[in-house]
Amino acid sequence: MVKLKETNLDGVKAMARTLLFTDIHKTSLSPIVVQHPFTSSGFNMVMINGEPKCVDITADSEALHQWRKMVCEQIDSSKSAFEIYMMTNKPYGMTFLKYAAHHLSKQDFSQILADAWIRSENPNNDPNLSQSKLLSMFQSAEPRHLMSQDELHALDELDATVTVYRGVTSFNAQNVKALSWTLDRSVAEWFATRFDEDGTVYQAQIDKAHIYAYFDGRNESEIIVDPKYLMDITEAEMMDNAFDISM
């Protein structure tokens, strides 16, 4: 997937401009909330007659034109692919990476993948990326750029076979065999019971050879696995140990 030694920044910019000119999708909360790679709200600041004004870009075609012009200028002036990526709306981070991948060096690809995965609320269910595509991204990444030194060390110290946990609710109960699991049962329990849900915690075994990343940036002891190698998946008993996601 990733072959370049150096990022083709012009290619990333061209791709980003294409995403910018996709349609803005309205929601039941529009214009306050919209869906678009570069904005989560219809209300944006644009320059009108030389003065900044907050306008609804979903209702005013000239305001939409001015907003896109402003974002284009920001894209064109960016010094790195990561800088452009950080301009995107969080739910579209993985989508940005999907289309930018063939323009990126392995280092940039890996660093953006780690950040986009962690920033996303539910990357396992991203409608723009199949599970096989997500897995291929992690298989293509460079571990030393994907993880911090502490995370690399923690992954290296794992046993040959690892016990992992996953908490699901009614929202994602059909996605037990996902990429994202945790080494901490209390974290899985938090995910199973958040939003006042009475969810389920699953326990499984997996060989270390099929673990592609360990992330602890959110204190979740998250590991990324190849789901087809999960073994002995069973329901685990709740421990009622509180886990503070804000730690």
Side-chain angles (χ1 to χ4, degrees), residues 164-166 185 200-204 234-239:
V164 296
Y165 306 91
R166 179 168 172 80
R185 185 186 295 203
T200 304
V201 172
Y202 289 92
Q203 175 178 315
T234 58
E235 290 190 22
E237 293 183 6
M238 293 288 193
M239 299 190 306

Side-chain angles (χ1 to χ4, degrees), residues 15-213:
M15 184 281 301
R17 289 192 295 268
T18 299
L19 288 181
L20 175 62
F21 279 87
T22 58
D23 292 337
I24 295 175
H25 295 284
K26 294 183 179 180
T27 70
S28 60
L29 298 176
S30 291
I32 297 174
V33 178
V34 300
Q35 295 178 344
H36 186 270
F38 284 90
T39 186
S40 59
S41 176
F43 292 112
N44 283 270
M45 296 296 296
V46 299
M47 297 299 292
I48 304 293
N49 296 324
E51 295 184 2
K53 291 186 178 180
C54 184
V55 295
D56 177 7
I57 62 174
T58 68
D60 186 332
S61 60
E62 177 58 25
L64 176 60
H65 171 74
Q66 292 298 326
W67 173 73
R68 281 180 167 149
K69 179 181 178 181
M70 178 188 70
V71 178
C72 266
E73 291 173 350
Q74 293 173 344
I75 291 171
D76 289 342
S77 65
S78 296
K79 304 300 183 184
S80 70
F82 197 89
E83 185 178 343
I84 299 171
Y85 152 73
M86 287 300 294
M87 294 170 58
T88 61
N89 188 10
K90 284 184 180 181
Y92 288 85
M94 294 296 295
T95 299
F96 171 90
L97 184 60
K98 173 184 176 180
Y99 292 112
H102 64 284
H103 297 298
L104 298 173
S105 67
K106 181 160 282 194
Q107 178 173 345
D108 282 348
F109 175 85
S110 303
Q111 290 175 341
I112 292 174
L113 173 58
D115 193 83
W117 183 268
I118 293 171
R119 289 175 75 210
S120 178
E121 171 61 25
N122 190 21
N124 286 281
N125 289 333
D126 192 316
N128 296 311
L129 290 152
S130 66
Q131 186 179 86
S132 61
K133 182 67 173 180
L134 288 170
L135 181 60
S136 71
M137 286 181 164
F138 281 101
Q139 291 172 329
S140 297
E142 175 63 46
R144 63 192 177 96
H145 298 307
L146 183 67
M147 293 170 277
S148 69
Q149 287 298 315
D150 287 344
E151 290 168 340
L152 280 168
H153 179 72
L155 179 58
D156 185 60
E157 291 294 306
L158 293 179
D159 294 335
T161 301
V162 183
T163 301
V164 296
Y165 306 91
R166 179 168 172 80
V168 300
T169 64
S170 59
F171 176 74
N172 61 346
Q174 303 304 314
N175 194 23
V176 175
K177 296 189 74 173
L179 276 70
S180 180
W181 289 66
T182 178
L183 302 176
D184 189 333
R185 185 186 295 203
S186 66
V187 172
E189 183 167 328
W190 182 87
F191 276 101
T193 57
R194 64 176 177 167
F195 311 129
D196 295 321
E197 287 262 0
D198 184 17
T200 304
V201 172
Y202 289 92
Q203 175 178 315
Q205 303 290 313
I206 192 161
D207 290 341
K208 181 179 174 180
H210 304 302
I211 298 175
Y212 290 98

Side-chain angles (χ1 to χ4, degrees), residues 184 187 215-222 243-247:
D184 189 333
V187 172
F215 296 131
D216 202 31
R218 294 181 297 193
N219 299 301
E220 294 176 5
S221 299
E222 180 182 15
F243 172 73
D244 185 359
I245 199 71
S246 65
M247 289 189 299

